Amino acid sequence: MAARRRLRRLRKRPRRQLQGWGAVAALAAVVWAAGNWSMVWPLLVAVLAAAVLGGAGWALLRAHRLAVGQDRAWRAQEEARARELSMAEVDALSWQEFERYIAELCRRDGCTKVVVSGKSGDLGADVVGYLADGRKLVVQCKKYAPHRSVSSQDMQKFVGTARLEHGADVALLVTTCRTFTKAALGLALRQDIVALHRDLLGSWVKGAHLETLIPLNGSGGGTRRRSSA
């Protein structure tokens, strides 16, 4: 115990010496500043002014970033609300009207020779047409409630017919529900299917061009090109 106390005292001694030297240095600095006040006060004023200006600039920058972030969040909310207002009208359509509506969106965006099947047993080709660059577009429309998901089975059926049966260059599965299951989306990515869920459909309805939506969900660009004969 005595040895430990002796060791503690030895450790405290350099610390006390440093504190003492520090106090002496601080006192010397105060004495020097008092004796040379005419030289010191402009420097202090400059330092304080720089600190005030720096603090004000930092506060303004932080406020600007916060305002920008809030504005972006507000715009995103407004865009989502606008999509939902448009999608409320789409939700009121029957499945036959929904297919015809999708065909009209394709025509609006420059697709040619757009045909609507309008019947069951169409082997997944609800809408068929040609993009402006000549690629054949085959669309399957899934008029589902917003809370539902497109299943892997739905995607498998479309994968099996879009290219083999209909010769699609771009195969598009568009739905009014919010999500594809993980398995369905993975299959879409592997098989080059454009998977267009509710939010992307809402953007299409609000004026986004089909060509800009094709790369967003599923690789879906198609690899072959053919003339629009």
Side-chain angles (χ1 to χ4, degrees):
M1 292 294 292
R4 287 183 181 177
R5 283 196 295 270
R6 204 176 303 115
L7 182 60
R8 288 197 198 103
R9 283 197 297 270
L10 289 174
R11 287 177 177 174
K12 287 181 180 178
R13 189 176 300 168
R15 191 183 308 163
R16 288 173 182 168
Q17 289 176 347
L18 286 174
Q19 290 173 346
W21 283 112
V24 171
L27 180 62
V30 169
V31 171
W32 180 86
N36 298 274
W37 183 244
S38 60
M39 295 171 53
V40 171
W41 75 262
L43 181 61
L44 289 176
V45 170
V47 170
L48 287 174
V52 170
L53 290 175
W58 179 83
L60 288 173
L61 179 61
R62 184 179 180 186
H64 172 71
R65 288 177 176 174
L66 180 61
V68 169
Q70 291 174 340
D71 180 68
R72 286 176 180 169
W74 176 82
R75 289 179 183 276
Q77 291 173 353
E78 288 300 307
E79 289 174 3
R81 189 176 294 115
R83 284 197 301 268
E84 280 303 308
L85 288 173
S86 300
M87 287 303 298
E89 299 176 1
V90 175
D91 289 336
L93 301 175
S94 67
W95 66 267
Q96 297 96 332
E97 291 170 333
F98 180 56
E99 290 178 3
R100 291 195 290 271
Y101 181 69
I102 293 300
E104 285 303 316
L105 290 178
C106 292
R107 294 188 185 101
R108 183 200 73 186
D109 290 346
C111 295
T112 59
K113 300 183 180 180
V114 179
V115 178
V116 182
S117 168
K119 63 186 179 199
S120 59
D122 52 21
L123 297 177
D126 296 322
V127 178
V128 177
Y130 291 86
L131 296 171
D133 61 8
R135 288 179 293 171
K136 187 175 184 180
L137 173 69
V138 175
V139 184
Q140 185 173 70
C141 305
K142 290 295 183 184
K143 181 69 167 49
Y144 285 167
H147 65 273
R148 287 188 57 183
S149 297
V150 174
S151 68
S152 176
Q153 186 177 10
D154 290 330
M155 188 64 70
Q156 287 174 31
K157 290 178 180 178
F158 188 47
V159 166
T161 60
R163 292 188 171 86
L164 293 177
E165 293 289 338
H166 305 294
D169 296 312
V170 177
L172 168 64
L173 196 157
V174 58
T175 182
T176 50
C177 66
R178 295 190 186 282
T179 59
F180 293 81
T181 65
K182 185 176 181 181
L185 189 56
L187 184 59
L189 288 167
R190 292 193 301 274
Q191 297 297 326
D192 200 25
I193 303 294
V194 183
L196 214 66
H197 54 61
R198 184 181 183 85
D199 287 344
L200 291 176
L201 173 59
S203 296
W204 194 14
V205 170
K206 290 295 292 181
H209 198 282
L210 177 59
E211 293 278 6
T212 67
L213 296 172
I214 284 174
L216 294 183
N217 204 7
S219 51
T223 54
R224 293 171 293 161
R225 292 178 180 271
R226 62 176 70 192
S227 61
S228 54

